[in-house]
Amino acid sequence: MLTKSSKFIEYMKIHLISLEQDKELIEKTSLKDDSIDWHFINGQIQATEHLLSVATDIMNNSNERIN
């Protein structure tokens, strides 16, 4: 059974996949260096990766189960 925290982490993982797909789409359809959208999505990816890392560390330190 997933805890509320582990459910949120799973949501962040899915959100990260979605952002990465959006970034790939932008890269296929425009020049990434000229695209504000690419930089915006890339920043969201970095922020989500950071928050996911911190949340995972907190759960590991509290011995809460992550699936």
Side-chain angles (χ1 to χ4, degrees), residues 6-62:
S6 60
K7 285 180 185 179
F8 183 65
I9 285 179
E10 290 304 312
Y11 166 79
M12 284 195 294
K13 289 178 183 178
I14 293 168
H15 181 63
L16 182 58
I17 291 168
S18 176
L19 290 170
E20 290 168 344
Q21 289 171 340
D22 290 346
K23 181 180 171 182
E24 287 176 16
L25 181 62
I26 291 168
E27 289 174 342
K28 289 179 184 178
T29 58
S30 66
L31 297 172
K32 71 177 184 180
D33 293 334
D34 295 331
S35 172
I36 292 173
D37 291 335
W38 184 88
H39 291 288
F40 180 74
I41 295 291
N42 198 50
Q44 288 187 45
I45 288 171
Q46 291 175 3
T48 302
E49 288 172 338
H50 173 71
L51 293 172
L52 187 54
S53 174
V54 170
T56 301
D57 287 347
I58 289 169
M59 287 185 67
N60 285 340
N61 289 335
S62 70

